[in-house]
């Protein structure tokens, strides 16, 4: 497959252009030539030196990540930024990034993956950001206690051996769940307004403790990395179906 076709197909599936005004990440092809053949695609959560080096070792033509290198552009390509970009260019390895588009995709996205783990039904978009959504909400097929919900996530997510934590201020039985992966406690008010019993996210902020306590809602902190492996793995399955060779680079941070 030619690189422009590969990029176009992913952009269309992920609706990359629709998130251009709400995402600081430069989504789509961040680094790469105008043309070239794509036979092997590597996937990882983070676009960092280690994932780049391992993609080079795997002889990949493209590295697809959730977190890329360009956030509101580059002022200077020096230091750590240079060290990450240089091997991409040196080894003719393209970098394709999908940040919020991959969070919000209702089938392939990170929140959708967490919803599947929890067995949520009647799922709908959640986590408004401008005209788009970056999460999902749904109803548990069978109610959870907070300990059961945390244990389910801890068993199924790549937490790097770290426990799933909770701010356990909600009801004894959890039926309605909202999900914003990564750093999602800014959507706590939306979760309260939606009447859910728990908000599942990756990492928290200090203010979320008292906000959750005062609102009577659970907040589950399952790890930023751990909640954001689903999207790139789903994209890997999609690209597999296109007949390309793929590989996954797993580097859990425990955070």
């Amino acid at each position: 497959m030619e690189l422009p076709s590969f990029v176009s197909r992913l952009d269309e599936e992920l609706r990359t252009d629709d998130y251009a005004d709400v995402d600081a990440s430069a989504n789509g092809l961040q680094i790469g030539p105008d043309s070239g053949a794509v036979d092997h695609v590597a996937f990882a959560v983070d676009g960092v030196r280690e994932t780049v080096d391992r993609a080079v070792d795997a002889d990949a033509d493209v590295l697809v990540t959730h977190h890329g290198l360009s956030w509101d552009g580059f002022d200077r390509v020096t230091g750590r930024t240079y060290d990450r970009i240089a091997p991409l260019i040196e080894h003719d390895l393209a970098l394709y990034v999908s940040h919020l588009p991959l969070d919000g995709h209702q089938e392939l996205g990170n929140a959708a993956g967490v919803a599947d783990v929890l067995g949520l039904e009647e799922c709908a978009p959640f986590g408004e950001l401008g005209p788009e959504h970056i999460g999902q909400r749904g109803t548990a097929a069978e109610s959870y206690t907070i300990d059961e919900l945390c244990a389910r996530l801890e068993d199924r997510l790549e937490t790097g051996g770290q426990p799933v934590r909770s701010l356990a201020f909600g009801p004894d039985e959890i039926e309605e769940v909202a999900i914003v992966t990564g750093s999602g406690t800014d959507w706590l008010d939306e979760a309260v307004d939606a009447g859910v019993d728990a908000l599942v996210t990756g990492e928290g902020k200090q203010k979320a403790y008292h906000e959750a306590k005062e609102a009577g809602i659970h907040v589950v902190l399952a790890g930023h990395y751990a909640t954001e492996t689903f999207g790139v793995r789903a994209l890997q399955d999609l690209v597999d179906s296109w007949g390309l060779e793929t590989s996954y680079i797993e580097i859990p941070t425990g955070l």
Side-chain angles (χ1 to χ4, degrees):
M1 183 181 296
E2 290 299 308
L3 180 60
S5 177
F6 176 82
V7 169
S8 178
R9 291 177 73 171
L10 283 184
D11 282 346
E12 181 178 0
E13 176 62 45
L14 295 165
R15 297 193 301 112
T16 298
D17 290 345
D18 293 342
Y19 286 81
D21 293 334
V22 298
D23 198 349
S25 173
N27 296 308
L29 185 66
Q30 278 197 1
I31 298 172
D34 292 331
S35 62
V38 177
D39 297 310
H40 183 177
V41 184
F43 295 83
V45 173
D46 300 309
V48 294
R49 183 61 189 267
E50 186 174 359
T51 55
V52 170
D53 288 345
R54 287 173 60 175
V56 169
D57 290 343
D59 199 26
D61 303 300
V62 182
L63 172 62
V64 174
T65 68
H66 179 52
H67 301 130
L69 300 180
S70 176
W71 303 88
D72 287 326
F74 299 115
D75 291 327
R76 304 175 192 275
V77 181
T78 60
R80 185 185 301 112
T81 302
Y82 178 86
D83 290 341
R84 289 175 173 177
I85 290 176
L88 289 164
I89 297 174
E90 178 182 353
H91 295 282
D92 200 23
L93 174 65
L95 176 66
Y96 183 97
V97 175
S98 187
H99 183 231
L100 296 185
L102 193 53
D103 284 327
H105 197 290
Q106 295 298 296
E107 295 178 1
L108 304 177
N110 290 315
V114 176
D116 285 344
V117 165
L118 294 176
L120 301 188
E121 301 174 344
E122 300 177 4
C123 291
F126 176 83
E128 290 186 4
L129 190 61
E132 301 299 334
H133 291 83
I134 59 171
Q136 197 168 94
R137 59 166 294 186
T139 303
E142 297 184 6
S143 64
Y144 290 95
T145 66
I146 187 60
D147 289 341
E148 289 169 344
L149 190 147
C150 290
R152 175 75 171 180
L153 292 171
E154 196 168 310
D155 181 61
R156 297 286 297 274
L157 269 58
E158 300 169 31
T159 65
Q162 298 302 308
V164 171
R165 297 180 298 153
S166 67
L167 306 177
F169 298 124
D172 292 339
E173 292 190 359
I174 299 170
E175 296 180 347
E176 301 297 323
V177 180
I179 304 163
V180 176
T181 61
S183 181
T185 55
D186 286 344
W187 284 267
L188 182 56
D189 285 342
E190 184 180 339
V192 172
D193 290 343
V196 302
D197 304 313
L199 171 66
V200 176
T201 186
E203 60 182 283
K205 296 180 179 179
Q206 162 70 13
K207 65 177 183 176
Y209 178 93
H210 289 289
E211 291 175 346
K213 187 174 184 179
E214 292 165 5
I217 187 174
H218 297 294
V219 176
V220 178
L221 308 174
H224 196 129
Y225 179 94
T227 58
E228 298 199 327
T229 63
F230 297 96
V232 286
R233 286 191 177 278
L235 287 185
Q236 181 182 9
D237 290 341
L238 176 65
V239 172
D240 274 336
S241 74
W242 296 348
L244 299 177
E245 181 183 358
T246 67
S247 55
Y248 181 70
I249 301 169
E250 183 176 345
I251 308 177
T253 65
L255 299 173

